[in-house]
Amino acid sequence: MGAPPGVGIREFPATFTLCAISAQAAGRAARSTRTIVIAGVPAGLLQDDVMADILTIHFQMSRNNGGDVEEVAYPTRDKGVAYVTFEDQEVVEGVLRKDQHLLQDKRLSRRYPLTVTRFCHNVFLRVTSTLSMALFRDHFLLEDLVEEMKKQSPALNFGPLQPDGQIAVRGSFPALRELREFLLFKAKSLSEEDKREGKPHQRPRGKPQQHRGATEARNSLRDAHREAEVVVLDTDIYHYMKCFHPKTLQANDVVISGVTDGDITTVCIEGAGRKAGAEHALRAKRMIESSSVELQKILRKERICFKERSRAEKQRYKQLCERLKARHPEVLLLPYDTHIDVVGTSAGVFEFAEDVRRHSR
C-alpha cells in the first residue's frame, strides 16, 4: 500500500507522527491540563506585552476564580487568542466554572467578554464561515454594517465584502457564534420594527438596489420573524451529535433542521403551535446547546491527509478506514476528497489513528 498518509493538521509525507509516550510528551500532557484557551482578546488596541500583562492580572484575581499564572502566551497565530498556563491544575477548574469573564483594565476603553475553554490539541478553535448580509440591504449600507461587526467582534478576521452581500469571516468558533447571534437578533429586531410601524421594508440611505435583491431581503426578513429558535453549532459537532446523539435533534411538536455553511451549521427549531410550540422549541434549543457544550469539552479532531496520493491509493485508504471503523464505534469518520477527518474523544481518535498506522505498513 506504500507509505501511509499524514495525520493531524499538518501533512507528513512518509509516516504517521504519533510518537510513543516519552517523558517529554508526558510533561507536555501534564502542562496542557494546566492550560486554558482564551478567545475574544481585543487585538491591536495595546502593545502585545501590555495585553499579556492585563491577561495575567485578570486570571490571577480571586474574583475571577484565578490563581498563580505560570505563563501567558500572547499573541498567537490565531488573532484574539491567548493561552494561559497556571501553576496549579485546580485553578483551571475554578476559572472554567465562572459564568462570564469580562476583561477590564484602566488601559482599556471598555470591558471585553472573553470565551474561556479547556486546552486540548486540535480542539475546534478556529473556523471559517461565509455570512450573507443580503437581508440587511433595505436598512443599511452594508459597508457600514461590516464596520459595526468588526467593532462588535475585534477577535475575528473579515474578508472583503462581495457584490452579492457575502463576506468570509474567520476566527474562534465561540466568537463566530456570538457574531451570528448578533446578526440574527438584529434581523429579528428590524422585522419587528417594520411590523409595528406597518411599513414596507425601506432603505433609508445608500445606493438603490436591484428589485430582485430587495425582494430576497424581504423574504429573508419574513423568514427570520417566524416563531423559531436558532442554535449555531460547529459543523463537526453537529455531525457527531446527529450520529451518536440523534435524540438531541428530535423532540415532540417541533421541527428541527440544520443548514451547513462550511465550518458552521445553523440549527432551526420551529414549534408546531403558538404558545406550546414556542415552549417546546425553547426546551429543545436548551437541550441542543447543553449537549454542544459538553461535546466541545471532550471531542477532538485528527485529519488523515492524502491529497498527493493517486486515486487508487486514496480509495484504498478510505476502504481501510471504513473497515477499521467497526473496531472503533465511538469515532466519526468524515471523508473528503483530499482527507478524512476523524472526530471523537482524545483516546478514541488516538487509538483509531494508531490502528490505521499499523494496518497501512
Side-chain angles (χ1 to χ4, degrees):
M1 185 177 287
V7 171
I9 298 303
R10 281 179 276 179
E11 191 175 357
F12 300 94
T15 182
F16 285 89
T17 56
L18 293 173
C19 304
I21 296 178
S22 62
Q24 184 180 10
R28 287 197 301 268
R31 191 173 191 275
S32 70
T33 63
R34 296 185 284 110
T35 301
I36 56 175
V37 183
I38 315 300
V41 180
L45 297 184
L46 301 169
Q47 294 290 333
D48 293 338
D49 58 342
V50 175
M51 186 59 68
D53 181 58
I54 292 174
L55 289 169
T56 301
I57 294 171
H58 176 89
F59 288 103
Q60 283 181 336
M61 289 183 174
S62 57
R63 71 183 184 190
N64 297 321
N65 297 346
D68 292 334
V69 173
E70 178 181 303
E71 181 186 16
V72 172
Y74 182 84
T76 64
R77 65 180 181 178
D78 297 316
K79 182 180 177 182
V81 173
Y83 299 89
V84 178
T85 301
F86 296 97
E87 294 185 1
D88 189 346
Q89 197 271 333
E90 291 183 2
V91 178
V92 170
E93 306 305 322
V95 168
L96 292 173
R97 281 196 300 270
K98 184 174 173 59
D99 291 335
Q100 185 179 33
H101 283 273
L102 293 174
L103 189 65
Q104 53 185 330
D105 188 275
K106 62 182 180 181
R107 291 164 286 187
L108 295 172
S109 59
R110 64 178 179 87
R111 297 188 297 177
Y112 289 87
L114 301 176
T115 301
V116 181
T117 55
R118 193 183 305 274
F119 177 85
C120 176
H121 294 287
N122 297 332
V123 293
F124 304 102
L125 179 64
R126 191 168 178 80
V127 294
T128 301
S129 181
T130 301
L131 304 180
S132 176
M133 313 295 294
L135 69 141
F136 294 103
R137 275 189 168 131
D138 281 354
H139 294 269
F140 300 103
L141 255 174
L142 295 189
E143 291 80 1
D144 292 345
L145 181 57
V146 170
E147 289 302 315
E148 183 181 353
M149 290 160 55
K150 290 179 179 179
K151 293 179 181 178
Q152 172 77 19
S153 306
L156 295 174
N157 288 313
F158 292 81
L161 181 64
Q162 301 301 316
D164 61 358
Q166 293 193 342
I167 185 170
V169 186
R170 182 171 175 79
S172 71
F173 175 72
L176 241 174
R177 180 170 54 189
E178 289 177 6
L179 176 64
R180 281 260 178 135
E181 295 290 347
F182 164 74
L183 291 175
L184 287 169
F185 176 79
K186 208 171 188 66
K188 186 175 182 180
S189 299
L190 290 174
S191 179
E192 291 174 348
E193 181 181 340
D194 286 335
K195 185 177 180 180
R196 285 196 304 270
E197 296 178 358
K199 297 179 180 179
H201 301 300
Q202 297 177 350
R203 181 180 176 84
R205 57 193 177 90
K207 298 179 181 179
Q209 302 293 320
Q210 296 179 353
H211 175 72
R212 179 184 176 188
T215 302
E216 290 175 351
R218 286 192 289 270
N219 291 339
S220 297
L221 280 171
R222 280 197 294 269
D223 290 342
H225 187 59
R226 290 177 184 173
E227 293 296 329
E229 298 290 343
V230 174
V231 184
V232 182
L233 301 177
D234 177 278
T235 294
D236 292 322
I237 288 179
Y238 170 74
H239 285 311
Y240 192 92
M241 190 184 297
K242 194 174 180 180
C243 179
F244 294 102
H245 305 280
K247 291 185 178 179
T248 305
L249 298 172
Q250 301 167 4
N252 294 330
D253 300 321
V254 297
V255 177
I256 301 177
S257 58
V259 178
T260 296
D261 179 11
D263 296 320
I264 295 286
T265 294
T266 302
V267 178
C268 182
I269 309 117
E270 297 185 84
R274 268 293 189 186
K275 184 176 179 181
E279 291 176 354
H280 291 155
L282 181 59
R283 190 180 305 118
K285 175 186 178 182
R286 289 172 176 168
M287 181 177 294
I288 293 171
E289 288 177 330
S290 176
S291 178
S292 173
V293 169
E294 293 305 312
L295 289 175
Q296 276 189 295
K297 292 178 182 178
I298 64 172
L299 293 182
R300 65 177 290 184
K301 176 171 70 175
E302 288 283 359
R303 177 162 293 176
I304 301 178
C305 299
F306 40 69
K307 65 181 180 181
E308 295 181 0
R309 301 279 162 175
S310 68
R311 184 186 299 270
E313 286 179 314
K314 290 180 183 179
Q315 189 61 31
R316 283 197 294 270
Y317 279 115
K318 287 183 178 181
Q319 290 174 352
L320 172 62
C321 288
E322 288 294 337
R323 190 168 68 252
L324 295 177
K325 172 69 172 66
R327 301 184 183 183
H328 307 271
E330 73 283 2
V331 301
L332 174 67
L333 299 186
L334 299 173
Y336 299 92
D337 185 53
T338 59
H339 63 274
I340 294 178
D341 284 338
V342 185
V343 181
T345 64
S346 295
V349 169
F350 179 83
E351 290 170 2
F352 177 82
E354 280 284 272
D355 210 0
V356 173
R357 181 184 63 81
R358 285 193 297 269
H359 285 81
S360 61
R361 286 173 177 170

